[in-house]
Amino acid sequence: MPLNRRKFLKKSAVTSAGVAVAGTAVAPSARAAEVRDGGKKAPKRYRFTVMGTTDLHGNVFNWDYFTDKEFDDKAHNDVGLAKVSTLVNRIREEKGRGNTLLIDAGDTIQGTQLSYYYAKVDPITAKGGPVHPMAQAMNAMDYDAAALGNHEFNYGIPVLRKFQEQCRFPLLGANALDAKTLRPAFPPYSIHRLRTPCGRDVKVAVLGLTNPGIAIWDKANVQGKMTFPGLEEQAAKWVPKLRSMGADVVIVSAHSGSSGTSSYGDQLPYIENAAGLVAEQVPGIDAILVGHAHTEIPEYFVTNKETGKQVVLSEPLKWGQRLTLFDFELVWGKGCWKVEKVAAQVLNSNTVEEDPKIVKMLGDEHEKVVAYVNQIIGTNAAEMTSVEAPYKDVAIIDLINHIQADTVKQALASGEYASLPVLSQAAAFSRSAVIPAGNVTIRDVAGLYVFENTLEARLMTGAQMKAYLEYSANYFVQTAADAVVDPAKLTNANGTPDYNYDAVSGLSYEIDIAKPAGSRIVNVRFEGAALADDQKFVFAVNNYRANGGGNFPHVAAAQLLWSNSDEIRNTMIAWVTAKGSIDPAAFASVDWRLTRNGTPVF
């Protein structure tokens, strides 16, 4: 039986009220201590805890707006700030409210239909507009600070500035600079005082760093307005300043992974995942809350090259699935507090119920969005799914490419490039997307394209398209001609995610997976003839790919012919609404296939 949304929210509020919370008194571990040892006073000590979230991506409730039911995955994780809030309340009860801080490492206002609705449908920027649900929830939870993520810029700077205005805590970005003055466009840091029972207060500085990839991924929104230098460079500038201002503890909240790698090649002048390098290269940091990479790192130590000091890093899993705890132990000596030990761990949000305060506060917003995504916008003649999309040419990916190509053709119809053929790329963002037979809703279409990408048209040649396809084919694991094919082991070679494998429409081609990477694309044809290297095409491509996402060859440097500021999924929703019906027979065809020595795999 489908889960009733109102019963779900009501049940969450009621059951949450009954959760037992441990530690109603301030725990001894949170207090400063002074103990006599052999007639001598032992050093004064103080313990406090910093809680951290990251990559919340618009998740308030444990709800999947694309499937219209409670969120669940194979590991039975839960998501959302309502769950995290219960964990936060528990820790504050255990440690003492004054002995805790709550911070975030970015990517807050994009990712769900809830966040989309309040950016585009009922925008927070409208006169007398609503307060963003993420601002409401985070304010209610008493966040102390949050770093900017790259996805904060997806809806443009005005939406971000309005969100910033609505938050009762600072949005930090030491390396988000005004393009003209090169001064910080957001507060670089925040200072927090923790009162101790003895000695002076502990001053905790939180330095916020964001991802330099913003300059590429959201070029249309930030070019000429903001610039984003490297994390190491800005940390080296600000950490000594924070220490000179009397900070006893320096924590970095970094929207940057820990691996020291970039996924955009030469397109990205600074390292994308630089949190580990910051710890290694910049002295004076005690802990780093890591974001951006969507991985779980409970506790990871990096040795600073200059001081030999161990810096602890932790990254809680995305969407509110985990909450990081940094436990600090300080000792008083020579007139100041010194960090003696830092440990980190993560708590799983699936162990608690949702906070009834958050459920009650934002239940109306949730219901509005549920009603919005369940609007019927058309019909479909035959069910389409993405289950086999990673290794077969399926109709549901053809639908994306068909709409993109049709949109670009119309946009260029009256210009000098109107006569050029249009190719299109699309990836399987989800292996569980379904466009059902019969009525089609907004959420059906939105669930097929879960990212906020926009559409561009680039000028490409036949030779460049071959290279593009060859690079895309790196996604497949080399499989000998006589080997048994297991679809579950055929894809994601070298960790390549599904969203970095593109199927291209408008051409026919084969991918010979028996051959090594770099020599797999064979029999490429356009309108039945072998593809000519000098043939010119208009390429319909999403802005993520066009701006270097995935480091595909040629496309980022190709001439831009047209671009659209609207998200592709909105373009798709508008297309289905205008047509009123979808008929896969009108656009679906098998134009690419996996082969081994000319023999189809499937």
Side-chain angles (χ1 to χ4, degrees):
M1 177 180 290
L3 182 63
N4 181 279
R5 294 180 298 277
R6 293 189 183 278
K7 287 183 179 179
F8 164 74
L9 289 175
K10 184 177 180 181
K11 170 180 175 289
S12 297
V14 172
T15 56
S16 296
V19 174
V21 180
T24 55
V26 177
S29 61
R31 301 192 187 110
E34 184 179 63
V35 182
R36 291 187 178 277
D37 181 12
K40 296 181 180 180
K41 287 185 178 180
K44 300 171 184 176
R45 298 184 184 279
Y46 177 67
R47 297 178 177 90
F48 71 96
T49 297
V50 176
M51 298 173 282
T53 56
T54 191
D55 296 279
L56 293 168
H57 284 287
N59 285 279
V60 172
F61 297 110
N62 188 45
W63 194 263
D64 186 342
Y65 293 97
F66 295 126
T67 61
D68 199 25
K69 60 184 180 182
E70 192 172 357
F71 178 88
D72 194 24
D73 60 14
K74 291 181 180 179
H76 300 299
N77 288 303
D78 288 346
V79 301
L81 276 173
K83 290 269 184 173
V84 173
S85 183
T86 301
L87 291 174
V88 169
N89 292 338
R90 189 183 77 186
I91 296 303
R92 285 172 173 163
E93 288 280 352
E94 292 175 354
K95 307 289 185 179
R97 177 66 178 86
N99 302 309
T100 64
L101 295 173
L102 177 59
I103 64 176
D104 183 80
D107 275 6
T108 303
I109 59 172
Q110 173 277 334
T112 63
Q113 286 294 283
L114 181 74
S115 55
Y116 172 81
Y117 186 88
Y118 288 98
K120 293 290 189 178
V121 181
D122 186 11
I124 61 174
T125 50
K127 186 177 181 180
V131 177
H132 199 289
M134 293 300 288
Q136 291 191 59
M138 295 174 82
N139 287 341
M141 293 170 64
D142 291 324
Y143 268 80
D144 293 286
L148 293 166
N150 53 285
H151 284 287
E152 259 65 85
F153 294 84
N154 285 172
Y155 295 117
I157 292 174
V159 170
L160 174 54
R161 287 300 190 191
K162 188 63 179 180
F163 176 71
Q164 179 187 27
E165 176 187 316
Q166 293 177 342
C167 291
R168 295 200 297 262
F169 53 89
L171 299 184
L172 308 178
N175 62 327
L177 309 182
D178 182 276
K180 295 180 180 178
T181 66
L182 297 183
R183 294 177 178 175
F186 293 84
Y189 63 88
S190 57
I191 300 287
H192 310 269
R193 288 183 176 271
L194 300 179
R195 183 160 295 178
T196 68
C198 51
R200 69 169 171 81
D201 295 348
V202 172
K203 290 178 68 175
V204 181
V206 179
L207 178 67
L209 296 170
T210 193
N211 204 289
I214 295 167
I216 295 173
W217 309 324
D218 271 298
K219 183 178 180 180
N221 291 326
V222 301
Q223 188 174 34
K225 300 174 183 177
M226 293 185 190
T227 186
F228 303 88
L231 283 81
E232 309 99 303
E233 168 192 324
Q234 292 301 302
K237 172 182 176 181
W238 285 103
V239 171
K241 289 185 179 181
L242 295 173
R243 289 294 184 181
S244 69
M245 293 164 60
D248 301 297
V249 180
V250 174
I251 301 167
V252 174
S253 184
H255 193 75
S256 180
S258 62
S259 65
T261 62
S262 291
S263 56
Y264 302 92
D266 295 337
Q267 292 294 315
L268 187 56
Y270 302 102
I271 293 175
E272 177 187 357
N273 297 303
L277 294 175
V278 171
E280 183 181 80
Q281 297 177 13
V282 181
I285 298 170
D286 297 296
I288 300 180
L289 177 65
V290 178
H292 183 63
H294 288 202
T295 58
E296 181 176 343
I297 305 174
E299 182 181 60
Y300 173 55
F301 289 96
V302 174
T303 303
N304 184 266
K305 285 186 174 181
E306 182 174 327
T307 65
K309 177 183 175 181
Q310 293 282 292
V311 182
V312 65
L313 283 68
S314 180
E315 180 176 4
L317 200 57
K318 64 186 185 297
W319 305 346
Q321 294 178 33
R322 304 288 187 274
L323 175 70
T324 278
L325 302 184
F326 290 107
D327 291 309
F328 289 83
E329 296 185 18
L330 276 63
V331 62
W332 178 266
K334 296 183 180 180
C336 65
W337 289 106
K338 295 289 186 182
V339 175
E340 189 172 61
K341 182 181 178 182
V342 189
Q345 60 177 306
V346 295
L347 303 182
N348 195 327
S349 64
N350 73 4
T351 62
V352 296
E353 298 292 338
E354 294 187 321
D355 184 343
K357 180 177 72 173
I358 304 299
V359 171
K360 181 179 180 180
M361 180 176 66
L362 292 169
D364 288 345
E365 285 84 345
H366 171 81
E367 289 291 343
K368 285 181 182 179
V369 176
V370 168
Y372 164 73
V373 299
N374 280 287
Q375 292 180 49
I376 296 172
I377 57 174
T379 60
N380 179 30
E383 181 182 88
M384 297 178 287
T385 77
S386 63
V387 173
E388 297 180 319
Y391 50 87
K392 287 185 181 180
D393 188 346
V394 296
I396 202 166
I397 303 300
D398 290 341
L399 174 63
I400 300 175
N401 278 326
H402 179 68
I403 293 174
Q404 290 182 164
D406 191 39
T407 301
V408 167
K409 286 175 184 176
Q410 293 184 42
L412 300 179
S414 59
E416 62 177 303
Y417 301 101
S419 62
L420 290 182
V422 178
L423 311 179
S424 179
Q425 61 79 223
F429 296 136
S430 167
R431 296 194 183 200
S432 58
V434 178
I435 305 292
N439 291 335
V440 177
T441 65
I442 285 176
R443 69 177 175 84
D444 293 327
V445 179
L448 178 57
Y449 210 108
V450 298
F451 292 109
E452 309 291 337
N453 297 338
T454 58
L455 188 60
E456 297 187 8
R458 299 276 179 146
L459 184 63
M460 298 277 279
T461 66
Q464 289 173 335
M465 288 309 306
K466 287 179 184 177
Y468 190 98
L469 292 172
E470 195 69 70
Y471 183 87
S472 187
N474 292 341
Y475 171 73
F476 295 103
V477 175
Q478 186 175 5
T479 308
D482 58 352
V484 175
V485 174
D486 179 358
K489 299 178 180 179
L490 193 58
T491 62
N492 307 101
N494 299 313
T496 303
D498 290 346
Y499 62 75
N500 272 345
Y501 170 65
D502 287 353
V504 173
S505 71
L507 300 173
S508 64
Y509 56 97
E510 298 173 8
I511 304 173
D512 191 332
I513 59 173
K515 295 182 178 180
S519 59
R520 293 174 169 174
I521 300 299
V522 295
N523 198 24
V524 187
R525 308 184 76 80
F526 172 67
E527 294 185 343
L531 179 65
D533 285 349
D534 60 354
Q535 170 76 57
K536 291 184 178 181
F537 296 95
V538 174
F539 191 32
V541 60
N542 68 55
N543 68 308
Y544 171 79
R545 190 71 78 232
N547 288 333
N551 201 28
F552 278 62
H554 304 300
V555 65
Q559 182 182 347
L560 175 65
L561 306 181
W562 171 84
S563 65
N564 186 12
S565 61
D566 204 9
E567 288 88 355
I568 291 172
R569 68 177 170 212
N570 280 348
T571 300
M572 294 172 62
I573 290 167
W575 187 92
V576 174
T577 303
K579 298 291 183 181
S581 63
I582 303 170
D583 183 6
F587 56 81
S589 61
V590 178
D591 297 317
W592 67 269
R593 66 180 74 240
L594 301 184
T595 62
R596 290 183 294 181
N597 296 336
T599 301
V601 175
F602 300 107

